């Protein structure tokens, strides 16, 4: 076990706040295209400017995900990815410099036992969980376990959320609150919803210190636009797409059932690295207008 | 105080109205949908005490659906069920051919009251999709139906019906390409379009308030049947039998009897190839507690909580979870759940057709197979009420393949892929015909063109037809 101190999402967000910029949060599904290259991809993100990693636990019924992430998660499951692989990936990435959150639908956590999963996640160096289909009302066991293990509870809010729901979510969240930019599922979009700034402001007014915006952000320009008012910018499908392109270019696309055998199968990931740099530049320029 | 359409009787089990049934139920879904669920719950609670809503739903029920549905005797079928008196609650005679219309009309009225202009729905066998498309036509709503690609193939007739009714049918091509994936896709549509769109969920599953609301719209099945059986026989039935996929017709007919402790409630899940093979849809019999599609219930899942694809010859039961109220009724022992495998269901499908001239839906055939077995357990003098939840026209193609009735199997649109379209028949229709004839008076019971040696073997009504695995 590594002894590197465990980074919480809030620690990173305080650091980027001090730097006068929003944080860049990057999502990848564990096990795509296999365990080793997923970890390589995550390191590539961190090396090129991602501050917080969001590792997706692939699930058979991902109702909040659009086609790109569904495809990657399905391939990861077909390749034999199990829950323990997610915890191993967290462990491998502790000490990378990024805080490592796990994004998971709730049933895989229930199947492990909430308290037991929380213990193992903390032991692996994980910062906490993002739970797209768990609302605080149903989260009793998780509230207790996350307090005991000092894990972040990232709940979501949406443009549809009225004031009382925002207060409810904010009062149970820790690390940050995940503001969905639009009503919909994950995926790249041409523009980030107009209502997003208002949602971030309403979420802050409800008491949130850190509000990160996700769903639909795929370019540096969008990241700069959103980063002007959000504490963090969350990017998923755009990274997964770039990774798919790198894999296709290397002739290594698709999940590899023999993941164990591909330890040295590192592939070049220039598109993924470039996408991360583009988005990092976006978040760095986000407040330039304000500061000048 | 205004009269509620669905009074909560002051009895222990019938009074349950969610959001939890014991440890089951709840709302496990994205925060983005919480306001929509709250809106539905509020609209629903207002509507059921609103005399205008009550009057309109009752008028539609009478003049459009054709309620009350009949209670039919089934004397020849009863002879195969150990002499138990089998009574059929004829939801197959409703407009659109199944019980599904009861819930759909209620939710379509609510959609109007919420000011929404579009409905979406999932469908497995196509019965709920057809009912939803029908209501959308009646109320002038836009309508999109999500259906697993595998189901669009085995229920092609219903796909055509939905399109003829003006609905858009979207085949879902990912995952297991069946009902669960259609529900995933419907949730994705809903979270994207919730401002204009109501998700007209078709079963007693999903997040609160769906399990309660859908059950309430189907309570009429059991309330009518209870009165009809009492009037017909002077007593309550010994048992009520219904098929359970998500479990809407079963909750509808069980509810009226929940606090009649002497009435056994038997839910028949789809045993597929047999629960031991793993290829089945018997969620309560072969699953474990978990969360799927917004509720905590029994789920077919592996050690990691990944959903295991279900299997059944019947598309409408091919679902790896079950309504939370059923999970609770199983846990407290109020209802029993049995697995009926494909073979037993197909036999019952043919036997009801040949003994009573009533062709049931494959889903309902699971309940009929359960009734055959239960009748033999209870014996003469007992009464078994069966929810005949739908009619079987949509299943003629499946049954024809099963019993080898297609002269040229390559003549169909499927079969070209070399799969089981041209496979040997799995069911022996001649043996079932002899079994059906055995219920005639002795002098007519022999098969007329008799009786090649191959047709006599199965003619003994004592031969068990079914191999349910009792739980």
């Amino acid at each position: 076990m590594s002894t590197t101190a465990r980074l919480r999402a809030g620690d990173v967000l305080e650091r980027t706040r001090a730097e006068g910029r929003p944080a860049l949060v990057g999502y990848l599904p564990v096990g795509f295209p296999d365990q080793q290259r997923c970890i390589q991809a995550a390191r590539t993100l961190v090396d090129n400017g991602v501050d917080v990693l969001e590792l997706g636990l692939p699930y058979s019924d991902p109702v909040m995900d659009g086609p790109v992430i569904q495809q990657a998660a399905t391939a990861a499951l077909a390749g034999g990815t199990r829950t323990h692989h997610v915890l191993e990936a967290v462990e491998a990435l502790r000490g990378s410099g990024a805080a490592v959150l796990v994004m998971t639908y709730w049933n895989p956590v229930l199947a492990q036992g909430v308290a037991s999963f929380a213990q193992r996640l903390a032991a692996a160096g994980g910062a906490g969980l993002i739970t797209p289909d768990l609302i605080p009302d149903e989260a009793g066991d998780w509230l207790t376990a996350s307090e005991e293990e000092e894990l972040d509870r990232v709940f979501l809010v949406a443009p549809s959320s009225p004031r009382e729901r925002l207060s409810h979510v904010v009062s149970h969240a820790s690390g940050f609150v995940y503001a969905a930019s639009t009503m919909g599922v994950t995926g790249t979009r041409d523009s980030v919803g107009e209502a997003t700034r208002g949602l971030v402001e309403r979420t802050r007014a409800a008491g949130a210190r850190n509000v990160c915006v996700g769903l639909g952000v795929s370019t540096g320009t969008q990241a700069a636009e959103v980063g002007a008012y959000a504490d963090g910018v969350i990017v998923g499908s755009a990274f997964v797409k770039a990774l798919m392109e790198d894999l296709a270019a290397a002739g290594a696309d698709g999940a590899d059932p023999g993941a164990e055998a591909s330890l040295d199968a590192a592939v070049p990931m220039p598109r993924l690295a470039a996408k991360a740099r583009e988005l990092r530049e976006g978040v760095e320029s986000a407040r330039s207008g304000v500061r000048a | 105080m205004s009269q509620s359409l669905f009074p909560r009787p002051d009895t222990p089990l019938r009074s349950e109205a969610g959001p939890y049934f014991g440890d089951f139920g709840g709302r496990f879904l994205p925060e983005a949908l919480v306001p929509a669920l709250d809106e539905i719950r509020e609209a629903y609670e207002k509507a059921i005490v609103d005399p205008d809503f009550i009057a309109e739903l009752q008028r539609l029920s009478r003049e459009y659906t054709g309620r009350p549905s009949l209670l039919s005797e089934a004397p020849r079928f009863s002879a195969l069920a150990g002499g138990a008196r089998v009574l059929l609650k004829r939801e197959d005679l409703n407009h659109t051919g199944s019980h599904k219309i009861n819930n759909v009309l209620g939710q379509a009225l609510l959609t109007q009251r919420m000011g929404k202009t579009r409905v979406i729905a999932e469908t497995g066998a196509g019965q709920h999709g057809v009912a939803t498309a029908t209501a959308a036509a009646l109320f002038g709503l836009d309508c999109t139906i999500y259906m697993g690609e595998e189901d669009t193939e085995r229920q092609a007739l219903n796909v055509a019906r939905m399109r003829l009714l003006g609905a858009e049918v979207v085949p879902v091509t990912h995952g297991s390409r069946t009902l669960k994936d259609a529900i995933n896709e419907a949730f994705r549509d809903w979270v994207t379009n919730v401002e204009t769109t109501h998700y007209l969920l078709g079963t007693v599953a999903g997040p609160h308030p769906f399990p309660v609301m859908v059950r309430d719209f189907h309570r009429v099945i059991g309330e009518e049947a209870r009165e009809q059986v009492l009037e017909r026989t002077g007593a309550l039935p010994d048992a009520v039998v219904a098929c359970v996929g998500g479990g809407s017709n079963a909750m509808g007919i069980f509810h009226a009897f929940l606090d009649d402790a002497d009435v056994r409630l038997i839910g028949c899940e789809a045993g597929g190839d047999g629960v031991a093979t793993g290829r089945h849809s018997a969620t309560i019999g072969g699953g474990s507690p978990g969360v799927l599609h917004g509720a905590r219930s029994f789920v077919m899942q592996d050690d990691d909580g990944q959903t295991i694809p279900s299997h059944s010859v019947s598309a409408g039961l091919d679902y790896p979870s079950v309504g939370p109220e059923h999970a609770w009724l199983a846990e407290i022992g109020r209802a029993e759940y049995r697995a009926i495998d494909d073979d037993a269901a197909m036999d019952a499908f043919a036997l009801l057709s040949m003994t009573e001239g009533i062709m049931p839906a494959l889903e309902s055939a699971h309940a009929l197979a359960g009734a055959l077995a239960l009748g033999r357990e209870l014996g003469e003098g007992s009464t078994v009420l069966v929810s005949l939840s739908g009619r079987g026209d949509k299943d003629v193609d499946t049954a024809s393949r099963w019993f080898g009735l297609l002269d040229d199997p390559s003549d169909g649109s499927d079969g070209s892929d070399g799969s089981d379209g041209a496979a040997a028949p799995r069911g022996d229709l001649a043996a079932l015909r002899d079994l059906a004839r055995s219920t005639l008076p002795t002098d007519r019971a022999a098969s007329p063109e008799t009786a090649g040696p191959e047709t006599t073997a199965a003619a003994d009504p004592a031969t068990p037809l079914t191999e349910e695995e009792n739980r």
Side-chain angles (χ1 to χ4, degrees):
Chain A
M1 287 276 156
S2 164
T3 52
T4 317
R6 201 157 60 88
L7 262 185
R8 300 279 295 271
D11 302 334
V12 174
L13 283 154
E14 291 309 324
R15 192 187 76 215
T16 56
R17 175 175 282 118
E19 291 169 18
R21 65 173 177 95
L24 179 59
V25 182
Y27 168 93
L28 289 172
V30 171
F32 179 78
D34 58 42
Q35 180 78 348
Q36 290 309 318
R37 283 179 287 186
C38 166
I39 291 168
Q40 185 203 341
R43 288 191 194 286
T44 302
L45 289 186
V46 178
D47 292 346
N48 289 279
V50 163
D51 302 296
V52 176
L53 282 170
E54 181 188 336
L55 296 182
L57 192 159
Y59 178 52
S60 52
D61 295 277
V63 296
M64 274 296 283
D65 283 307
V68 172
I69 291 176
Q70 277 181 52
Q71 189 193 333
T74 302
L77 287 173
T81 301
R82 306 280 312 266
T83 298
H84 68 82
H85 290 114
V86 176
L87 295 163
E88 287 155 20
V90 171
E91 176 85 43
L93 291 160
R94 87 184 294 172
S96 65
V100 186
L101 291 161
V102 170
M103 201 289 316
T104 180
Y105 292 89
W106 198 236
N107 200 49
V109 179
L110 285 178
Q112 302 292 315
V114 177
S116 154
F117 186 79
Q119 275 167 17
R120 290 161 65 200
L121 178 62
L129 291 181
I130 302 174
T131 52
D133 64 347
L134 183 73
I135 60 176
D137 318 52
E138 304 287 357
D141 292 350
W142 169 230
L143 298 179
T144 308
S146 54
E147 288 302 324
E148 274 175 24
E149 302 297 334
E150 301 187 326
L151 290 165
D152 294 329
R153 292 186 297 266
V154 180
F155 292 115
L156 280 71
V157 293
S160 59
S161 301
R163 185 209 304 242
E164 64 274 15
R165 288 302 306 176
L166 292 174
S167 305
H168 184 65
V169 171
V170 166
S171 69
H172 290 92
S174 59
F176 62 88
V177 174
Y178 186 133
S181 68
T182 47
M183 295 300 290
V185 297
T186 58
T188 59
R189 290 182 178 79
D190 292 338
S191 67
V192 174
E194 288 297 306
T196 310
R197 180 192 291 266
L199 173 61
V200 170
E201 282 165 6
R202 289 191 293 130
T203 308
R204 284 217 185 88
R209 176 157 175 85
N210 296 318
V211 185
C212 299
V213 170
L215 297 196
V217 182
S218 63
T219 66
T221 312
Q222 286 174 331
E225 188 187 309
V226 170
Y229 53 82
D231 302 298
V233 178
I234 306 169
V235 179
S237 296
F239 284 145
V240 177
K241 254 190 196 167
L243 174 58
M244 286 173 172
E245 287 163 12
D246 280 330
L247 295 168
D253 48 336
D256 179 0
E260 306 295 336
S262 58
L263 281 170
D264 54 356
V267 297
M269 297 182 177
R271 291 165 190 81
L272 184 65
K275 182 50 83 177
R277 282 195 301 274
E278 175 194 337
L279 286 152
R280 175 63 182 253
E281 282 162 22
V283 297
E284 296 210 345
S285 68
R287 311 268 172 82
S288 53
V290 181
R291 278 186 316 208
Chain B
M1 268 295 233
S2 42
Q3 178 70 41
S4 170
L5 182 56
F6 304 116
R8 309 274 172 228
D10 189 21
T11 53
L13 301 181
R14 293 189 69 209
S15 61
E16 291 295 329
Y20 300 99
F21 298 94
D23 284 340
F24 300 106
R27 301 197 296 181
F28 293 85
L29 83 176
E31 182 70 37
L33 290 173
V34 167
L37 291 175
D38 286 341
E39 182 188 16
I40 294 168
R41 184 177 45 75
E42 283 160 24
Y44 172 67
E45 284 169 0
K46 258 186 222 160
I48 60 176
V49 293
D50 177 345
D52 292 341
F53 181 88
I54 295 172
E56 180 62 0
L57 187 60
Q58 287 174 339
R59 184 190 68 79
L60 286 167
S61 173
R62 207 169 49 239
E63 298 174 9
Y64 195 72
T65 307
R67 301 210 74 89
S69 67
L70 301 177
L71 184 75
S72 296
E73 300 279 350
R76 290 184 62 202
F77 188 79
S78 295
L80 299 175
R85 183 178 183 182
V86 175
L87 296 170
L88 306 174
K89 180 58 176 167
R90 300 292 305 279
E91 293 298 298
D92 61 316
L93 296 178
N94 292 340
H95 179 47
T96 72
S98 81
H99 71 292
K100 293 291 187 188
I101 193 76
N102 301 323
N103 164 52
V104 162
L105 290 175
Q107 287 199 48
L109 276 176
L110 275 188
T111 304
Q112 277 195 324
R113 291 167 72 95
M114 291 187 291
K116 299 194 174 184
T117 55
R118 176 172 178 261
V119 287
I120 56 172
E122 82 295 343
T123 197
Q127 294 300 83
H128 176 57
V130 165
T132 302
T134 298
L138 178 67
F139 290 95
L141 301 166
D142 296 329
C143 179
T144 301
I145 305 293
Y146 292 97
M147 188 169 188
E149 192 178 41
E150 183 180 324
D151 295 336
T152 62
E153 287 158 12
R154 55 182 167 173
Q155 302 287 350
L157 177 69
N158 272 344
V159 175
R161 285 171 79 192
M162 289 183 268
R163 289 187 170 142
L164 288 167
L165 287 160
E168 178 193 13
V169 180
V170 180
V172 176
T173 56
H174 30 250
S176 60
R177 303 185 303 131
T178 60
L179 181 54
K180 92 172 169 73
D181 307 283
I183 295 176
N184 291 342
E185 208 53 33
F187 271 114
R188 292 184 188 114
D189 181 318
W190 198 30
V191 76
T192 308
N193 300 299
V194 67
E195 220 163 286
T196 60
T197 300
H198 174 62
Y199 181 8
L200 210 162
L201 191 71
T203 190
V204 290
H208 184 72
F210 285 109
V212 171
M213 178 171 72
V214 176
R215 176 203 70 191
D216 282 349
F217 285 134
H218 285 305
R219 272 167 59 171
V220 64
I221 305 171
E223 282 160 12
E224 286 176 6
R226 192 173 182 280
E227 286 305 305
Q228 288 166 322
V229 173
L230 273 174
E231 192 180 320
R232 184 82 56 88
T233 71
L236 291 173
D238 295 287
V240 181
V241 185
C243 65
V244 176
S248 64
N249 90 87
M251 266 332 302
I253 198 164
F254 285 176
H255 192 264
F257 298 95
L258 285 180
D259 291 302
D260 297 320
D262 293 340
V263 178
R264 286 173 67 182
L265 305 176
I266 316 277
C268 297
E269 299 192 295
D273 291 344
V275 173
T277 68
R279 283 173 50 78
H280 63 87
S281 306
T283 311
I284 293 176
S288 55
V291 164
L292 181 66
H293 294 147
R296 185 167 185 278
S297 184
F298 280 85
V299 178
M300 289 175 55
Q301 57 185 326
D302 67 15
D303 291 345
D304 276 356
Q306 306 285 349
T307 310
I308 296 172
S310 54
H311 170 80
S312 168
V313 69
S314 145
L317 303 182
D318 197 344
Y319 181 56
S321 187
V322 65
E325 193 168 4
H326 284 295
W328 174 65
L329 291 174
E331 191 184 61
I332 64 174
R334 177 61 190 96
E336 308 158 46
Y337 294 84
R338 300 179 171 192
I340 304 293
D341 64 23
D342 286 352
D343 293 309
M346 293 305 303
D347 284 353
F349 174 89
L351 286 172
L352 189 74
S353 301
M354 292 190 285
T355 56
E356 302 294 341
I358 297 171
M359 191 173 294
L362 285 186
E363 291 75 22
S364 320
H366 288 71
L368 292 159
L372 287 173
L374 187 74
R376 291 188 204 111
E377 291 163 36
L378 298 176
E380 279 187 47
S382 63
T383 305
V384 176
L385 170 65
V386 178
S387 175
L388 189 59
S389 55
R391 70 180 185 220
D393 312 42
K394 69 188 175 59
D395 298 312
V396 168
D397 191 56
T398 302
S400 298
R401 282 168 210 288
W402 186 273
F403 292 113
L405 301 182
L406 300 178
D407 290 338
D408 180 6
S410 64
D411 193 28
S413 55
D414 19 35
S416 54
D417 57 357
S419 69
D420 46 24
R426 288 184 64 181
D428 183 348
L429 201 60
L432 292 165
R433 198 167 56 220
D434 286 346
L435 186 54
R437 288 194 68 83
S438 73
T439 65
L440 294 171
T442 334
D443 57 331
R444 296 194 49 228
S447 192
E449 67 267 38
T450 266
E454 81 280 4
T455 59
T456 51
D460 173 7
T463 305
L465 278 166
T466 57
E467 294 180 10
E468 304 85 351
E469 303 182 27
N470 294 0
R471 179 166 185 265

